[in-house]
Amino acid sequence: MYASHGFLRSDIGDVDVVYHDGLFHLFHLVLPNHDFIAHAVSSDGMTWRRVKNALFVGEPGEWDDDMLWTMHVTPNPDKAGEWRMFYTGLARSEFGRVQRVGLARSSDLYHWERCNQGVYPLEIPAPHYESSIDEGRHWVSFRDPFFYHDRQTGDRLLLSAARVKDGPVIRRGCVGLARETAPDRFSFEAPLHRPGLYDDVEVPNLFKLHDRYYLMGSIREDTKIHYWYAQSWDGPYENFFDNVLLPSGNYAGRICQTEDRLLLFNFFSKTENFYGREAVKKLLPPPKELDTDKAGRLKVRSYRSFDNLVTGQEVVTASYQCKILYDNKYATAIDRPDGLHLACKSGYEAYLFPGQHQDFRLRTQLMLEGSGKTGLVLRMNEEGDGYYLSLDLVNGIAQMRAWGANPTPEFEHAFRYEPLQEAHFRGSDQGPWQIEVVAHGMYIEFSIDGYVVLSLVDDSFHEGGIGFYVESAAVCVKDLVIETLRRPVSEDTAERVYTTTYLAPEDEADTR
């Protein structure tokens, strides 16, 4: 996890990540001021070190003297070794109501110089788009630039979050398109894609994966990352019955190409109560790996670099390793040739495996027997307080909940029951399903059959038991392994900044 710090809860805004010479370079906005673009580097894409800030707002009177918004960094196709940063800027004289796209250049990704001459900043023109404050929403949308260079065809495209001139005002959001016809010369064309449904399509991305083009954007209406597909970059773009890439809370996704993987980075929005006031905190979780299934649907997989964080493992194979938490008389744990059989005919029971766990990865094969309820319990204490991962395996619904006793109860408020995130997957009657759960600091991720279903951030529970629960149901688990992960560090500084407040194992030894 990576987050900004500050008395007023400064936040990470939209992000962009570039991989170059074995190092990840993160560029991100800093909210609420939007007055500079920060820069951090990482060797693994998870632990970041802040370096020289990339860009600040312009001097008073310049076109970007109010705020800086989303950026995109790519190699300069006309000059080897040079980088270009397209970024969004706002002017104070216009009260930030007109968005423009500017350019900065760098030869090393650390030192950036604005190009405030020639065609820059770019302004979005008529006739395809809203281009004046007298239209539509009475402010000009032209932001979140994304530069795409198709090396096979030579096409150079600048995508943006824009709005068409006609249609219902709240449904004019589109992916704007400008073609670079010569170095730093752009010709605006009709939108690359217009869903006809949303107010905006924010932070667009265009990429090719497994011989198909994918267009990705974030939708404010449901706070989710959506995608569309086409056989050529110019469309037309279609969508599957489910074109949501990550569940609610994950936003402003950006792709990053490494030597062998296409990664997805995004921020996660978490609502906090801060001195009695509700505030939204934005954090950068670990990336996911982009892939497609057999039908060509875009999917995300868990980041393979978690493998490098494993420090030990516990293999669960037998019933004697299970602790039955509530002593339900109908609960049984039986060793069978096909795996460990956990059942409870009437009522509820939780089965905890050995140890108290903070940061871990659980992997197992799961079979469902019967028609009752089941799921996992994570970081659970002796009273049953912890995370509950509810799994409707037949209908394909996963929900993460924080459930436990309220430390300051008043009558009916004695308990806390908070649904944190819900998502859907392809269900079936029996399985088997391959289950994986990652808990790394505040980050929690659930995958089924190799694809990430839930991805969220929460700090309600830091440590506890891991296991399964059943309610009028039975499950069979096989090849169950719980791996201990090295504690996450949010910022790699002289004094390490951790994602949660509990002590790391090496620090605990120093306090004894």
Side-chain angles (χ1 to χ4, degrees):
M1 297 295 304
Y2 172 73
S4 295
H5 305 283
F7 178 74
L8 295 179
R9 282 297 205 250
S10 59
D11 282 330
I12 289 177
D14 292 358
V15 304
D16 190 41
V17 181
V18 175
Y19 183 77
H20 178 62
D21 285 346
L23 203 62
F24 291 92
H25 292 259
L26 166 67
F27 300 90
H28 69 85
L29 304 178
V30 179
L31 280 55
N33 289 353
H34 285 268
D35 52 358
F36 69 97
I37 295 173
H39 183 192
V41 295
S42 172
S43 60
D44 62 3
M46 291 189 284
T47 301
W48 299 92
R49 174 173 57 88
R50 281 286 290 272
V51 293
K52 177 181 173 66
N53 295 320
L55 213 61
F56 289 85
V57 292
E59 296 297 329
E62 294 184 337
W63 70 273
D64 56 354
D65 66 347
D66 184 23
M67 286 185 173
L68 302 181
W69 287 2
T70 311
M71 76 308 296
H72 186 221
V73 177
T74 61
N76 187 340
D78 297 305
K79 189 173 181 181
E82 184 178 272
W83 299 84
R84 299 196 298 182
M85 177 193 292
F86 291 94
Y87 68 96
T88 312
L90 311 177
R92 296 178 70 246
S93 62
E94 298 164 331
F95 299 95
R97 295 171 69 187
V98 178
Q99 300 160 13
R100 297 178 176 87
V101 170
L103 183 78
R105 300 183 193 275
S106 174
S107 60
D108 60 4
L109 290 169
Y110 292 93
H111 302 86
W112 293 90
E113 183 177 350
R114 284 181 163 77
C115 298
N116 280 340
Q117 70 280 337
V119 301
Y120 298 109
L122 299 173
E123 299 186 7
I124 197 162
H128 299 295
Y129 306 99
E130 291 181 354
S131 58
S132 77
I133 60 174
D134 299 323
E135 301 171 280
R137 294 280 301 280
H138 302 294
W139 49 278
V140 178
S141 286
F142 180 42
R143 65 184 182 279
D144 306 349
F146 182 90
F147 183 77
Y148 177 74
H149 182 201
D150 193 319
R151 290 174 174 79
Q152 291 182 335
T153 64
D155 290 306
R156 302 180 184 184
L157 313 172
L158 183 65
L159 277 54
S160 62
R163 290 169 54 83
V164 295
K165 294 174 67 68
D166 57 355
V169 171
I170 65 165
R171 309 200 188 280
R172 296 185 182 182
C174 68
V175 178
L177 174 63
R179 188 190 298 266
E180 188 173 23
T181 56
D184 298 313
R185 292 291 184 269
F186 293 88
S187 174
F188 284 83
E189 301 180 0
L192 180 63
H193 182 52
R194 176 190 177 182
L197 187 62
Y198 307 116
D199 192 47
D200 278 302
V201 181
E202 297 196 296
V203 196
N205 294 247
L206 177 62
F207 54 94
K208 189 176 183 181
L209 185 62
H210 301 163
D211 298 322
R212 179 176 277 178
Y213 288 86
Y214 293 91
L215 180 64
M216 186 174 70
S218 293
I219 305 299
R220 288 202 312 271
E221 280 84 343
D222 60 6
T223 326
K224 296 177 182 178
I225 300 173
H226 293 240
Y227 74 94
W228 302 266
Y229 68 94
Q231 298 306 315
S232 60
W233 70 258
D234 55 349
Y237 281 87
E238 306 175 60
N239 59 266
F240 292 98
F241 61 89
D242 179 9
N243 70 332
V244 172
L245 192 56
L246 284 175
S248 183
N250 295 278
Y251 204 74
R254 279 295 201 199
I255 61 169
C256 173
Q257 181 67 61
T258 68
E259 292 103 337
D260 60 347
R261 287 176 275 180
L262 185 63
L263 301 180
L264 173 65
F265 286 86
N266 63 274
F267 69 70
F268 183 85
S269 294
K270 180 180 183 296
T271 301
E272 291 183 331
N273 251 306
F274 190 56
Y275 294 120
R277 299 181 62 183
E278 191 174 271
V280 177
K281 178 72 174 173
K282 295 183 175 68
L283 310 96
L284 181 73
K288 286 87 176 166
E289 301 182 13
L290 283 165
D291 199 359
T292 60
D293 64 10
K294 294 179 180 178
R297 293 189 299 164
L298 200 59
K299 297 288 186 179
V300 288
R301 295 185 182 274
S302 187
Y303 191 36
R304 274 177 277 172
S305 290
F306 279 118
D307 294 344
N308 301 327
L309 303 181
V310 175
T311 60
Q313 69 174 25
E314 176 90 25
V315 179
V316 178
T317 59
S319 58
Y320 76 86
Q321 295 172 283
C322 297
K323 177 180 180 181
I324 297 179
L325 189 60
Y326 297 117
D327 293 325
N328 187 314
K329 66 179 182 178
Y330 296 104
T332 58
I334 301 173
D335 300 318
R336 297 195 321 197
D338 57 342
L340 177 59
H341 186 263
L342 309 174
C344 188
K345 183 177 181 180
S346 176
Y348 169 88
E349 188 56 84
Y351 302 82
L352 298 184
F353 305 130
Q356 295 290 298
H357 302 272
Q358 296 177 345
D359 306 303
F360 62 87
R361 180 171 62 182
L362 178 148
R363 289 173 165 172
T364 190
Q365 177 182 286
L366 178 66
M367 291 281 291
L368 175 66
E369 301 175 9
S371 56
K373 298 180 179 180
T374 189
L376 288 93
V377 291
L378 312 170
R379 293 176 176 167
M380 175 171 277
N381 65 17
E382 295 293 328
E383 299 297 318
D385 300 350
Y387 292 112
Y388 286 70
L389 174 52
S390 169
L391 297 178
D392 183 340
L393 295 165
V394 176
N395 295 306
I397 305 172
Q399 185 184 75
M400 185 70 73
R401 305 163 181 158
W403 192 358
N406 192 329
T408 57
E410 291 185 15
F411 302 105
E412 70 270 21
H413 303 295
F415 62 86
R416 174 190 179 190
Y417 181 86
E418 184 178 356
L420 301 176
Q421 192 178 74
E422 181 178 303
H424 296 257
F425 57 92
R426 185 67 64 89
S428 65
D429 291 337
Q430 294 292 327
W433 298 272
Q434 296 298 324
I435 301 293
E436 178 176 301
V437 177
V438 174
H440 197 227
M442 293 185 290
Y443 178 64
I444 303 173
E445 175 186 286
F446 168 67
S447 300
I448 189 164
D449 291 336
Y451 298 124
V452 175
V453 175
L454 299 178
S455 172
L456 65 147
V457 175
D458 189 77
D459 58 357
S460 300
F461 304 101
H462 298 153
E463 181 181 22
I466 304 171
F468 281 86
Y469 74 83
V470 289
E471 186 176 359
S472 299
V475 295
C476 182
V477 294
K478 181 181 179 182
D479 302 325
L480 196 155
V481 177
I482 302 173
E483 298 170 316
T484 301
L485 301 180
R486 191 165 62 247
R487 185 180 175 194
V489 178
S490 65
E491 193 166 346
D492 187 13
T493 59
E495 294 185 3
R496 290 174 295 175
V497 180
Y498 292 99
T499 62
T500 49
T501 55
Y502 59 84
L503 292 175
E506 62 270 22
D507 298 330
E508 289 176 349
D510 297 337
T511 63
R512 294 178 185 141

